[in-house]
Amino acid sequence: MDILAVTAEVFPLIKTGGLADVTGSLPKALKKFGVRVKTLIPGYRAVMRALPSARLVKTYDDLFGVQARLLAAQAAGLDLLILDAPEFFDRPGGPYLNEYGEEHHDNWKRFAAFSKAASEVGGSGVKEWKPCLIHAHDWHSALTLAYLKYGEHFEVPRVLTVHNLAFQGQFPARHFPRLGLPAQSYSEALEYYGELGYLKAGLIAADKITVVSPTYAREIMSPEGGMGLDGVMNARHDDVIGIVNGIDLEVWDPSCDPHLNYPFSARTPLRRLGNRYDLLDRFGLPHRHGPVFASVNRLTWQKGMDLLADVADEFFWKDGMLVVHGQGDPHIEGKFLEAAERYPQHVSVKIGYDESLAHLIHAGADAMLVPSRFEPCGLTQLYALRYGCIPIVARTGGLSETIIDANDAAVHAQAATGIQFLPIDHQGLRHALRRAVKLYRRHRTWERLRRQAMKTDCSWERSAEQYCEIYSRLLNENAELRQTA
Ligand code: ADP
Ligand code: GLC
């Protein structure tokens, strides 16, 4: 089975968050089920620099008014197609924001052009290759499915994965005539509270919608979790499926991680200590006893990072330490920097984005804090499990179903892998930290928890099979329709 995946990010070429991790690892897992994936990405500056020998497949004289090329390359075990449209993608900043942290002014056009090209590649194929199904991710590529549904290739099966409903791709309605979609698509799919909704259009145009955990699939049906799209989600209820993310067990393998001076496994926990000292040195903290708590995260309201900054005194009183690595909301960054100044022996913060440091933090810290207010799936807690760094998570979305809380029964049954907390507020988080410190002081219990965490199966195996089932069912339905037509 050949499919086209369409995404604005893919690890290791371009990443701002978990979307890249998923699109970078799922194709490798699908291979085992006989699914061959080509992944189409925009040719951002970083991508073009990383793939200097990409081959020319096709040229465009006028793609939304600009010249473009479709290129092909192999990298990191992935089969890639790249839309090289320098006017849209060769610029400073990240995929969505410019170097000053503002949205690129023409995002509506950049991602419409990308999606239009994706729909043509998906519908007609390129050279001798033609996919039998299109799988788009998030709002950036959601319009691909609308271009297919309202174009000549309406019969190609379409899957949309929503990684986070908070990001919807909403733009002024005045751009509609420039999208090149028929008038009826506006009222049927694109119109969203008087504006254009790219994600909403994708939700309407998809045959099947997946979200990244079964709990999130339930949460988004309610007004609180649906973020304005709960009506659409309820209308599509029967076609919405929650599939929990897996992780790339090769990229995140503590026993041979090139980012670590002290690789370790569940059987060599003492070697892990070397990473603790490396970590404390990197963050300028003393080599003291006591739990090292960590957070590697976007510093945003969604992630509950303001809550964490507000309870920094806990680490001082309980003789623990906190290391934080992330970037995001300047107000939250400021709160952490203030806390580090107030408790220099206990709290240390590095603002920024550093993949290698993220690996060391998972390997060296005792516990990973993920106090998200909502979390579609979350990957940090999965990496933490694999690295024996006990996850302390808010009970929401994917966090609630990937971590087993260390209540007495679960500890006794040797099933516990972390700590969950509710309510998701200051008190809830403080209480969770205190529970963690108590558990940490019971060394044997903590070690058992760590061993159990490291045993957790975070692979893609089961989830890749679920994606494969969705693809197969859609292809069968499609074949039946054609026979009866
Ligand atoms: P989200 O995609 O919502 O940000 P996830 O938990 O799914 O949340 O994925 C976040 C990914 O980004 C993980 O791979 C995490 O390690 C990584 N990450 C987040 N912040 C940083 C950072 N400052 N430096 C390095 N990696 C980071
Ligand atoms: C989004 C979500 C996160 C999820 C990731 C990958 O960024 O916020 O919860 O893990 O996508 O699916």
Side-chain angles (χ1 to χ4, degrees):
M1 185 191 307
D2 285 293
I3 75 160
L4 176 70
V6 191
T7 174
E9 297 182 30
V10 68
F11 181 85
L13 292 163
I14 181 83
K15 165 170 168 177
T16 72
L19 166 64
D21 290 356
V22 170
T23 56
S25 53
L26 177 59
K28 294 188 250 174
L30 284 168
K31 221 178 258 173
K32 290 185 205 139
F33 295 94
V35 180
R36 288 180 301 264
V37 183
K38 274 193 202 295
T39 305
L40 176 65
I41 53 171
Y44 310 109
R45 191 172 282 183
V47 169
M48 297 308 293
R49 280 190 187 150
L51 302 172
S53 47
R55 302 177 305 281
L56 180 67
V57 177
K58 181 180 166 165
T59 53
Y60 302 82
D61 288 334
D62 179 5
L63 179 68
F64 277 69
V66 312
Q67 290 190 335
R69 301 182 303 161
L70 185 70
L71 306 174
Q74 265 84 31
L78 299 164
D79 205 351
L80 298 165
L81 291 169
I82 304 108
L83 181 69
D84 176 29
E87 223 161 296
F88 290 145
F89 302 121
D90 180 16
R91 51 174 81 169
Y96 323 115
L97 307 179
N98 65 20
E99 68 269 48
Y100 310 109
E102 299 148 353
E103 302 260 325
H104 292 295
H105 68 282
D106 53 352
N107 272 348
W108 73 270
K109 204 192 320 179
R110 298 167 77 226
F111 291 106
F114 175 59
S115 299
K116 179 85 171 85
S119 72
E120 286 168 13
V121 172
S124 312
V126 282
K127 303 235 160 120
E128 64 285 1
W129 174 83
K130 192 163 183 247
C132 56
L133 181 146
I134 316 299
H135 186 165
H137 294 265
D138 275 353
W139 73 264
H140 333 102
S141 54
L143 272 197
T144 307
L145 307 187
Y147 282 117
L148 284 165
K149 179 179 165 79
Y150 293 101
E152 59 179 301
H153 296 291
F154 57 88
E155 79 291 351
V156 184
R158 305 175 291 267
V159 177
L160 177 68
T161 293
V162 181
H163 295 262
N164 191 338
L165 213 54
F167 303 105
Q168 303 186 350
Q170 209 172 335
F171 301 103
R174 67 170 186 279
H175 296 312
F176 180 74
R178 310 264 309 272
L179 295 180
L181 280 160
Q184 105 211 58
S185 70
Y186 180 72
S187 53
E188 280 181 16
L190 265 116
E191 192 281 325
Y192 186 54
Y193 297 109
E195 301 205 303
L196 300 176
Y198 284 17
L199 185 65
K200 189 215 159 193
L203 293 172
I204 302 290
D207 295 308
K208 290 284 175 206
I209 298 160
T210 76
V211 302
V212 289
S213 70
T215 306
Y216 193 55
R218 282 196 301 279
E219 289 172 349
I220 56 178
M221 297 295 164
S222 71
E224 304 78 56
M227 305 194 158
L229 284 165
D230 44 298
V232 181
M233 283 299 181
N234 277 287
R236 299 291 329 255
H237 182 275
D238 293 347
D239 294 311
V240 178
I241 304 133
I243 303 179
V244 76
N245 289 330
I247 63 171
D248 191 321
L249 298 181
E250 283 170 16
V251 175
W252 291 90
D253 182 351
S255 71
C256 58
D257 186 328
H259 303 291
L260 306 180
N261 289 326
Y262 302 94
F264 64 99
S265 72
R267 265 180 269 128
T268 57
L270 278 183
R271 278 188 66 79
R272 201 177 182 279
L273 269 183
N275 297 307
R276 175 188 172 99
Y277 296 127
D278 277 0
L279 176 64
L280 293 177
D281 289 346
R282 282 288 285 279
F283 276 82
L285 289 170
H287 290 198
R288 203 180 331 106
H289 291 299
V292 178
F293 295 88
S295 172
V296 180
N297 224 331
R298 290 190 278 122
L299 303 185
T300 62
W301 182 90
Q302 178 205 333
K303 300 288 180 179
M305 294 306 280
D306 51 320
L307 298 177
L308 180 58
D310 287 342
V311 304
D313 57 301
E314 286 289 332
F315 303 95
F316 175 68
W317 293 115
K318 295 290 180 302
D319 218 20
M321 286 176 274
L322 171 68
V323 299
V324 175
H325 177 51
Q327 60 187 16
D329 182 340
H331 177 66
I332 301 180
E333 289 180 1
K335 273 174 176 268
F336 276 115
L337 292 171
E338 254 172 50
E341 233 171 73
R342 201 168 328 129
Y343 308 110
Q345 299 289 304
H346 295 265
V347 178
S348 181
V349 178
K350 279 191 192 297
I351 301 296
Y353 192 98
D354 182 338
E355 197 74 29
S356 179
L357 182 58
H359 282 247
L360 174 61
I361 295 174
H362 285 82
D366 295 300
M368 181 62 66
L369 293 160
V370 194
S372 310
R373 288 189 168 89
F374 69 94
E375 194 62 75
C377 179
L379 296 174
T380 317
Q381 83 280 9
L382 303 180
Y383 301 140
L385 286 173
R386 181 131 164 95
Y387 278 57
C389 180
I390 302 304
I392 301 177
V393 304
R395 186 174 299 160
T396 181
L399 299 175
S400 64
E401 61 194 64
T402 50
I403 303 303
I404 301 174
D405 182 67
N407 57 53
D408 282 348
V411 169
H412 190 68
Q414 305 206 4
T417 57
I419 290 176
Q420 290 193 359
F421 69 91
L422 261 186
I424 308 171
D425 59 13
H426 294 109
Q427 268 322 98
L429 180 54
R430 279 187 194 280
H431 184 62
L433 290 172
R434 290 171 196 170
R435 277 185 70 201
V437 171
K438 273 193 196 150
L439 277 170
Y440 183 82
R441 288 185 182 145
R442 289 160 53 193
H443 286 296
R444 279 184 137 184
T445 310
W446 188 265
E447 274 316 312
R448 230 186 291 142
L449 203 56
R450 198 201 302 282
R451 271 201 303 278
Q452 197 56 36
M454 292 184 82
K455 271 196 216 156
T456 308
D457 177 9
C458 298
S459 76
W460 268 109
E461 203 74 14
R462 266 176 305 154
S463 299
E465 192 174 7
Q466 282 175 276
Y467 278 109
C468 192
E469 276 166 20
I470 292 174
Y471 300 156
S472 303
R473 220 175 308 138
L474 279 177
L475 289 177
N476 288 339
E477 282 168 17
N478 216 33
E480 277 169 26
L481 271 181
R482 280 192 201 189
Q483 267 175 3
T484 50

